[in-house]
């Protein structure tokens, strides 16, 4: 099985910089400082990191996780580009089917694959975004604030999906300011304070 590692205490601009470095949006990290299963990926952009098995759920649902005015189907294209041919043609039918499969599998309440992202409640949009990345079968999933602003039912489902992903062998890094959430789902914990990362501590300790 995989493992869920939690990081607590990240907030403000420091969190944005931390997450941008991990996702590949900011590739200014020193060589060797970011490694994926022993391979240096410090200079790799997001698309290459996804090809290598790293998927990412940002804290901001609307604007970074999804484009508000685009349909759920079109929003799959932000990270799931297997529905685009090598010559750049979008396979519209495949895009719609993927969105419909995510809606069904992750119990997303929406008016179909053509519904605009902004028309969904926060919890349903978060389930769609998390589901989009989980369904890609990542080797490492990084999730920032997975249940922030989400109702109890959606929170329970998202946490359950993260646990199931771990049990399937995926490594998961959860960044959250919700200590109860970290203690509930994580195997090990780190704390970041004043720019320093604590040693890894087993949850039981």
């Amino acid at each position: 099985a995989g493992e869920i590692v939690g990081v607590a205490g990240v907030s403000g601009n420091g969190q944005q910089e931390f997450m941008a470095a991990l996702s590949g949006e900011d590739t200014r990290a020193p060589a060797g400082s970011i490694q994926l299963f022993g391979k240096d990926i410090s200079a790799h952009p997001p698309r290459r990191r996804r090809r290598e098995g790293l998927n990412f759920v940002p804290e901001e649902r609307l604007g970074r996780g999804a484009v508000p005015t685009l349909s759920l189907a079109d929003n799959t294209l932000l990270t799931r580009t297997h529905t685009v041919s090598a010559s750049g043609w979008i396979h519209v039918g495949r895009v719609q089917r993927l969105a419909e499969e995510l809606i069904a599998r992750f119990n997303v309440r929406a008016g179909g694959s053509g519904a605009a992202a902004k028309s969904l409640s926060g919890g349903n949009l978060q389930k769609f975004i998390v589901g989009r990345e989980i369904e890609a079968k990542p080797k490492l999933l990084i999730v920032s604030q997975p249940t922030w602003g989400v109702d109890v039912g959606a929170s329970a489902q998202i946490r359950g999906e993260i646990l199931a992903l771990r049990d399937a062998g995926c490594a998961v890094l959860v960044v959250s300011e919700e200590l109860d959430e970290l203690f509930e789902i994580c195997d090990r914990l780190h704390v970041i304070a004043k720019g320093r990362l604590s040693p890894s501590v087993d949850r039981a300790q």
Side-chain angles (χ1 to χ4, degrees):
E3 187 174 44
I4 300 177
V5 176
V7 178
V10 184
S11 61
N13 292 332
Q15 174 174 314
Q16 294 176 0
E17 294 166 0
F18 178 70
M19 299 309 292
L22 293 182
S23 69
E25 295 166 85
D26 186 340
T27 55
R28 294 176 296 173
S33 62
I34 301 176
Q35 296 187 18
L36 180 65
F37 304 112
K39 180 179 180 180
D40 181 16
I41 62 168
S42 307
H44 295 184
R47 178 176 291 185
R48 183 169 177 184
R49 294 188 193 198
R50 284 195 296 273
R51 287 200 304 264
E52 292 163 341
L54 187 159
N55 283 66
F56 176 74
V57 177
E59 176 182 355
E60 301 168 65
R61 288 186 284 271
L62 286 176
R64 294 189 68 218
V67 179
T69 56
L70 291 184
S71 69
L72 295 179
D74 288 342
N75 268 295
T76 65
L77 293 166
L78 295 180
T79 63
R80 302 300 306 284
T81 53
H82 67 285
T83 53
V84 181
S85 71
S87 58
W89 290 98
I90 297 173
H91 298 287
V92 177
R94 293 182 191 174
V95 172
Q96 291 175 339
R97 282 195 298 275
L98 173 59
E100 289 163 3
E101 289 167 2
L102 293 174
I103 289 169
R105 177 181 168 188
F106 295 96
N107 192 29
V108 178
R109 294 185 181 180
S113 62
K118 66 180 181 180
S119 70
L120 275 65
S121 68
N124 281 294
L125 182 58
Q126 185 72 349
K127 287 192 290 185
F128 183 83
I129 294 169
V130 171
R132 180 184 65 195
E133 304 312 306
I134 287 177
E135 201 273 341
K137 298 179 176 58
K139 297 176 183 176
L140 168 63
L141 178 67
I142 299 175
V143 188
S144 179
Q145 313 296 346
T147 60
W148 178 80
V150 171
D151 63 50
V152 174
S155 294
Q157 182 181 344
I158 290 168
R159 291 172 184 173
E161 294 287 355
I162 291 173
L163 289 167
L165 188 66
R166 175 205 60 189
D167 293 343
C170 181
V172 184
L173 177 66
V174 177
V175 179
S176 178
E177 296 174 25
E178 298 290 337
L179 290 179
D180 289 343
E181 177 169 71
L182 293 174
F183 277 108
E184 180 181 340
I185 65 174
C186 295
D187 301 298
R188 293 189 291 119
L189 294 171
H190 291 270
V191 175
I192 287 184
K194 298 180 181 179
R196 297 176 66 87
L197 180 68
S198 78
S200 170
V201 180
D202 187 271
R203 179 181 62 182
Q205 299 175 1

